[in-house]
Amino acid sequence: MQNKDKKNIVLTGFMGTGKTTVGKKIAAQLNREFIDTDDLIQERQGISISEIFRQHGEAAFRQMESDIAKELGKREGLVISTGGRLMLDPANVEALSRDGRVFCLIATPQEILSRIESDNEHKRPLLEVPNPGELVIELLKERQKGYHRFQKIVTNDKQPDEVADDLLEIFQDDPKRFSIDHPAQPYEYVVGSGILPFIRQLAGVTGTIVVITDTAVQELYGLSCGDVDHVIAIPVGNERKTLATVQTIYEQLIEIGFDRSGTIVALGGSLVGDIAGFVAATYMRGVNLIQCPTSLQAMADTSIGGKTSIDLPQGKNLIGVFKQPSMVIADVATLQTLPAEAFSSGMAEVIKHGLIADSDLLEKVENGNWHHEAGTLFTSLFDVQALVAQAIQVKIAIVQEDPFDHGRRFFLNFGHTFAHAIEQVSGYSICHGKAVAMGMVAAANLSARLGHCSADLQESIEEKLKKVNLPIRIPYLSSQLLLKAMENDKKRVGDIIRFVIPSRIGQVFVADDVDQPAILATLQEITDSNGQTE
């Protein structure tokens, strides 16, 4: 990656989000030249943007923006504030992000309108309409996908100095690197913000790179992976985790002439990581793999340890193989585009790691602001990066101690025996993270019922889950069907159902002598007969 002392800082976003004000403050702090693309165009044309639109039309103005983007993209050490639509053009994105870090400033429509109305210095010809508020909402919705590909900085209720400090904290913070000492293949886990465009540089890859992703992630980040050669996108949906999907990918790899010298990049959530990992493990007896998780669950859990699997109609993850990546690259900026429900779902795995081994991680969860709504994460990316870094260290330590899943690594299944049954019996209408949250509550209830922990432990776990909007009760599902699903769980040994249950926070153990009445009693106690989950 380029020295950040020379890398341009590019600010984009809707009008009124503070790009110019914040950009000038950052430039002053870093002793850099500040350039506002709108001001530069007006200076060179000798007329205002309104006049440019009136005399030459919008197409001519957009071409001026494109020319400016190409010009500034060849320079370094700048702070650049762009017009609101400039970075919606992929060619401009490519020009300015090649040697620049792009940040998107965002604010609510109400905040934007308030700032624009009080700004007497800049005229906004676009908003000279009878109802500018409605137009702001419409334009924000129209541009949402374009803005989502960049690191977002929330400017609501913040002074420009605070926004500048937040941005510089992210810009100046180096990615965190963690070594994973695995006997099959040691590798690094790199977590940072805005690092997705530098996959090739971070991993030191010189050959062909093929990105395997899904269509939703492709739309958001397919153009943000830097120097890659091909992108293969599969349809979204858990039902795609099949051998048929794997075969389709094999055929596309053969068609493009992909061979054993190439690298597969798994870009997406846990499902994409599983499919792409399985393909990398089996295509031509194995090719190089880089995991680039874009969901919190994948970052904190499934991208580490090398497990890959495919589903069968009879059950989840019944076909699988270990495939260690050569590197995991986790860009926490991608978490900003997760639906709120998916972010909360990932927090279940973070809390699980804290309950297994790390009470400090639980304090971070309890004390942090993890508010997420409408595709916007309202906490600092710096805090998110710290959360992910601490969560992955728990799993790294366990995987290094038990790389082939013969002992302590089984502890990572805390809550999962119940969770997999809940998923299956619900017809997978309950997502994995929510099922794990319910499963951890059930595991604590079962442990207390068997006399292994205090009854207060269940309440403590429930409070932590509620903090991040996770459910603590199972919606009405048949206890008998749940028990039957557990009996078919791949973690069973013969007729024995194995549970990971807690004795206290930071300590869990395997119980494999649990009788059916105790399991059924737990299921009945934490199942909400009214269908509510909390």
Side-chain angles (χ1 to χ4, degrees):
M1 293 174 63
Q2 185 185 0
N3 187 328
K4 57 177 169 280
D5 291 337
K6 296 182 179 180
K7 186 173 279 300
N8 293 332
I9 296 176
V10 182
L11 305 183
T12 189
F14 201 75
M15 66 182 78
T17 54
K19 302 187 297 290
T20 298
T21 304
V22 171
K24 287 179 178 178
K25 289 183 176 297
I26 291 171
Q29 288 191 50
L30 297 179
N31 194 27
R32 290 185 173 203
E33 181 181 355
F34 172 76
I35 295 177
D36 183 305
T37 59
D38 283 350
D39 288 349
L40 184 58
I41 290 172
Q42 290 179 117
E43 179 185 326
R44 290 182 176 180
Q45 296 299 314
I47 54 177
S48 69
I49 290 176
S50 298
E51 280 300 303
I52 294 173
F53 269 68
R54 190 179 68 80
Q55 293 181 27
H56 305 291
E58 182 177 356
F61 177 73
R62 299 305 170 200
Q63 183 59 52
M64 295 174 193
E65 286 188 318
S66 179
D67 293 340
I68 290 290
K70 291 175 184 175
E71 175 188 333
L72 298 181
K74 295 175 183 177
R75 297 177 61 184
E76 58 185 26
L78 302 175
V79 176
I80 303 168
S81 170
T82 71
R85 286 195 58 181
L86 187 147
M87 293 297 277
L88 299 180
D89 184 331
N92 295 341
V93 174
E94 182 180 358
L96 287 173
S97 62
R98 187 182 300 113
D99 290 313
R101 289 279 298 276
V102 183
F103 299 87
C104 181
L105 305 191
I106 64 171
T108 62
Q110 296 78 12
E111 182 78 13
I112 288 170
L113 204 57
S114 173
R115 292 174 183 176
I116 291 172
E117 289 173 347
S118 61
D119 182 5
N120 298 319
E121 186 177 342
H122 298 91
K123 288 188 177 295
R124 314 282 184 172
L126 194 62
L127 296 185
E128 293 175 358
V129 294
N131 195 329
E134 287 185 5
L135 182 58
V136 167
I137 293 171
E138 182 182 332
L139 289 174
L140 282 172
K141 185 175 181 180
E142 178 185 308
R143 299 179 185 183
Q144 185 178 43
K145 288 183 179 178
Y147 287 155
H148 266 177
R149 72 181 60 179
F150 308 114
Q151 296 180 87
K152 292 189 288 185
I153 306 291
V154 179
T155 66
N156 284 347
D157 304 319
K158 289 185 178 180
Q159 294 299 314
D161 286 335
E162 294 178 85
V163 178
D165 288 344
D166 287 348
L167 194 151
L168 285 172
E169 191 174 52
I170 297 170
F171 178 73
Q172 295 175 332
D173 187 52
D174 290 324
K176 302 293 185 291
R177 293 175 177 265
F178 302 93
S179 297
I180 301 176
D181 186 15
H182 194 280
Q185 176 175 293
Y187 57 97
E188 267 194 324
Y189 190 118
V190 182
V191 56
S193 178
I195 59 177
L196 197 59
F198 309 102
I199 293 171
R200 188 179 289 275
Q201 297 95 315
L202 285 166
V205 176
T206 57
T208 301
I209 293 180
V210 173
V211 173
I212 296 177
T213 186
D214 64 37
T215 50
V217 176
Q218 180 192 29
E219 187 173 3
L220 289 168
Y221 300 112
L223 297 176
S224 302
C225 296
D227 182 16
V228 301
D229 300 286
H230 302 278
V231 177
I232 296 174
I234 60 176
V236 176
N238 289 326
E239 69 276 8
R240 303 294 180 175
K241 193 178 165 186
T242 64
L243 287 171
T245 299
V246 169
Q247 181 174 340
T248 299
I249 296 172
Y250 289 154
E251 291 168 354
Q252 292 182 68
L253 291 173
I254 291 169
E255 185 177 344
I256 63 178
F258 186 74
D259 60 30
R260 295 187 67 185
S261 67
T263 294
I264 285 175
V265 171
L267 177 70
S270 298
L271 185 141
V272 168
D274 260 343
I275 294 172
F278 188 89
V279 168
T282 53
Y283 182 79
M284 293 188 174
R285 297 195 179 95
V287 297
N288 188 44
L289 170 69
I290 297 171
Q291 289 280 2
C292 287
T294 61
S295 72
L296 183 55
Q297 178 184 331
M299 287 184 188
D301 187 46
T302 56
S303 64
I304 308 167
K307 285 185 178 180
T308 72
S309 59
I310 299 297
D311 297 342
L312 290 178
Q314 294 84 352
K316 289 185 63 177
N317 303 329
L318 293 182
I319 304 174
V321 62
F322 281 98
K323 174 62 178 178
Q324 303 302 328
S326 60
M327 180 171 280
V328 180
I329 299 173
D331 187 341
V332 297
T334 62
L335 299 179
Q336 296 174 120
T337 53
L338 281 181
E341 184 177 52
F343 185 84
S344 292
S345 182
M347 288 296 286
E349 296 292 347
V350 173
I351 291 172
K352 181 196 75 175
H353 288 177
L355 293 170
I356 289 172
D358 190 342
S359 59
D360 289 343
L361 180 56
L362 292 179
E363 289 180 16
K364 198 175 250 77
V365 171
E366 291 171 329
N367 297 330
N369 171 23
W370 310 112
H371 181 54
H372 198 307
E373 65 178 32
T376 299
L377 181 61
F378 283 87
T379 192
S380 160
L381 284 175
F382 186 80
D383 292 336
V384 177
Q385 180 175 319
L387 180 79
V388 172
Q390 193 164 353
I392 64 174
Q393 289 178 75
V394 174
K395 183 159 186 180
I396 287 172
I398 292 174
V399 167
Q400 288 187 150
E401 182 180 326
D402 182 19
F404 297 110
D405 205 7
H406 296 315
R408 187 165 178 254
R409 188 165 173 175
F410 195 80
F411 291 170
L412 293 169
N413 288 305
F414 175 42
H416 282 56
T417 302
F418 287 104
H420 287 160
I422 292 167
E423 289 178 90
Q424 184 178 333
V425 174
S426 74
Y428 298 99
S429 63
I430 297 175
C431 70
H432 181 71
K434 286 186 175 181
V436 168
M438 300 171 196
M440 289 190 291
V441 173
N445 182 283
L446 181 61
S447 184
R449 187 177 303 279
L450 298 174
H452 296 301
C453 74
S454 164
D456 294 341
L457 182 58
Q458 177 183 336
E459 184 178 346
S460 176
I461 291 173
E462 289 176 356
E463 288 303 313
K464 293 168 177 53
L465 295 170
K466 287 192 290 186
K467 163 78 178 179
V468 294
N469 299 316
L470 282 167
I472 59 173
R473 292 292 179 269
I474 303 172
Y476 181 72
L477 298 170
S478 165
S479 297
Q480 291 293 341
L481 289 178
L482 289 170
L483 181 61
K484 184 174 177 59
M486 289 184 216
E487 290 172 347
N488 293 327
D489 191 282
K490 64 183 174 63
K491 295 184 292 298
R492 75 185 188 282
V493 179
D495 294 330
I496 297 173
I497 305 173
R498 306 179 77 201
F499 294 92
V500 178
I501 60 177
S503 55
R504 57 179 174 81
I505 288 179
Q507 184 171 314
V508 296
F509 66 97
V510 178
D512 53 14
D513 57 350
V514 183
D515 57 27
Q516 287 192 4
I519 301 171
L520 287 169
T522 282
L523 289 171
Q524 290 163 2
E525 183 172 329
I526 69 164
T527 295
D528 189 332
S529 60
N530 294 319
Q532 300 299 312
T533 58
E534 59 181 39

